[in-house]
Amino acid sequence: MPKHRILCRLLAGMGCVSLLAGVVLWGTAAALPDTFYTPAGEASLRIASMPWVSAVRTSGTVARAGNASGDKSRNVTLALLGVIPLKTVRTVERETRSVQACGTPFGVKMFSDGALVVAFSDQYTDLGTENPAKEAGLRLGDLIVSAGGRAVRSNEELSAAITAAGGSALSIVYRRDGREYTTTLTPMTDSTTGAYRAGLWVRDSSAGIGTMTFLDPANGTFAGLGHAISDTDTGTDIALLSGEIVPVTITGCVSGAAGSPGELRGEFSAAAAGTVLANDTTGVYGCYTGPMEGESLPLAWPQQIEPGEAEILVTISGSTPRRYTVRIERVDMTSSDPNRNLLLRVTDPELLAATGGIVQGMSGSPILQNGCLVGAVTHVLVNDPSRGYGIFASTMLEKADAIAP
């Protein structure tokens, strides 16, 4: 083979290697967040899920301006294998917090801040079928907050406003995707009853079973579920007006299978154990008034979590949680979806035999590793109930602190 062809192939090969190396470096840097929170006094930043990345240079430590807690920050340069610089990040020192890891089931009763549109019902007239709500531009998942100048907080208040309009046009204020809109709706007369109808079905409350992740004795708050409570028909997160939590006793379980998620079933107690203050994308939070329970554990920061063996605290019978083995398969510190920072697989034979893996009602179950609370179960993979996602416990604690009285 001519020498020039050998040289061309060699150069092409080197180019491919360089391109591959560049992709690896870019991917590794992209997987690193811009800011890390570290335990106070920690000598060097370590990332358990990326042991090949290490800190090679640290700037001077400075106190954060205007921060009464005394947190200190510094700039740290991270490098691949301690040689190739990847990214300079900011680290902020924080005192390690401990909370009561629970794993106990609880019931949530919530009333929405308005009337949620969950279905449409066409009305029959001499001219055929009509639907005033659709003609007004309303969609499934819209939250009606005002009708005819009256605040709407329940189904009854919306019905009263429609009746009071007497067939005349009335102004409807509704929320969609975080924005508020106004439209005009003209009710029509039901040909069989003579009543005025808007052609829609609405819901003003929701109830369900979840798992308590932790209690914070310092603030008297609770955190659970790891995701928001949403309407079963539309998937829209419930806009919270008021709510409470109650203890639950698990009475049975429907096992999960591929394509068919299982669920925990239980009985609600009549005694309230707390008030819901936030229905957030990261969980349900509020003030806790029940007896303090659970195991006191320190919270881990995301960089302290590693792929490998772990446990979850789950209650699948009665009201007492047990530990079951799982394996954390992936740690994603930069995911745009906080509910999917952890990917885990249930490995405990007893739990797999009883539930098939992760089922509805387990959302919020604490994930434990190396003596720390690292996260909470959030979702099950529909086609593989032995696997599911989790949220970082530190993310939930941040929200719990924000709503603390």
Side-chain angles (χ1 to χ4, degrees), residues 253-257 259-264 355 358-362 380 382 385:
C253 173
V254 177
S255 295
S260 177
E263 65 174 344
L264 297 177
T355 67
I358 298 170
V359 298
Q360 297 178 67
M362 283 187 185
V380 60
V382 176

Side-chain angles (χ1 to χ4, degrees), residues 36 85 120 343:
F36 289 87
F120 292 104
L343 177 64

Side-chain angles (χ1 to χ4, degrees), residues 86-138:
L86 290 170
K87 187 175 185 178
T88 296
V89 300
R90 188 170 74 100
T91 63
V92 181
E93 290 188 4
R94 290 275 178 88
E95 292 294 332
T96 299
R97 295 272 297 277
S98 291
V99 294
Q100 303 294 121
C102 298
T104 46
F106 70 109
V108 185
K109 302 176 182 179
M110 287 178 46
F111 292 92
S112 63
D113 187 19
L116 186 70
V117 179
V118 297
F120 292 104
S121 176
D122 292 342
Q123 303 298 307
Y124 294 94
T125 69
D126 295 336
L127 301 177
T129 59
E130 297 182 39
N131 192 297
K134 287 183 179 179
E135 293 170 4
L138 293 174

